Amino acid sequence: GVQTCALPIFMEPTKSQKKIETVIQDLGFDPSRMRNPTERDNLVKSLDGEKLGLLEDSVLRCIGELEGKENFGKNQAAIIREKLDRQGLSTAIGELLGSPRVYLYWKKGST
């Protein structure tokens, strides 16, 4: 019979995604835990003024870099830009730092 295998491959984060991770690290948080909504909310709630601005800026740059590429459409970018309050920022970080997966499929013929 023919077997199909799927292998997840993790794509390299873009420069601006790495920048968000660096900013999160500089703020004393662990970027790898940002897939957890509670962790993201804690991050965003703990910031104000300049620190919040830094994070917003890195998120906006990332949106600009990704806009129109791959599966990140202009509508998605516009929605994030419009709602960049604390909750929106938390959601945006989750979307931008969520690990994009690409699956490679190959068929193994019977021998």
Side-chain angles (χ1 to χ4, degrees):
V2 174
Q3 288 180 307
T4 304
C5 297
L7 181 71
I9 293 184
F10 293 95
M11 290 172 69
E12 268 294 294
T14 66
K15 273 185 199 160
S16 59
Q17 283 169 315
K18 284 181 183 163
K19 173 74 177 154
I20 294 175
E21 289 179 353
T22 305
V23 169
I24 289 169
Q25 248 173 342
D26 291 347
L27 296 168
F29 286 81
D30 180 354
S32 69
R33 300 184 67 167
M34 290 300 130
R35 286 187 197 92
N36 179 327
T38 310
E39 294 280 344
R40 290 198 306 268
D41 290 346
N42 289 342
L43 163 70
V44 175
K45 281 178 193 158
S46 74
L47 305 176
D48 48 10
E50 200 180 326
K51 289 179 178 178
L52 192 62
L54 263 176
L55 190 59
E56 280 178 3
D57 188 51
S58 63
V59 165
L60 286 169
R61 279 172 199 232
C62 189
I63 292 165
E65 188 182 282
L66 292 175
E67 198 168 353
K69 285 186 192 167
E70 291 146 36
N71 57 358
F72 197 88
K74 290 202 177 292
N75 289 352
Q76 204 173 354
I79 290 164
I80 292 173
R81 282 197 186 99
E82 275 169 31
K83 261 201 67 127
L84 211 58
D85 54 9
R86 283 177 194 263
Q87 190 54 56
L89 189 60
S90 174
T91 305
I93 291 167
E95 286 186 30
L96 297 171
L97 295 189
S99 57
R101 284 188 186 85
V102 176
Y103 288 91
L104 274 187
Y105 288 93
W106 72 92
K107 285 183 179 172
K108 192 174 161 187
S110 53
T111 46

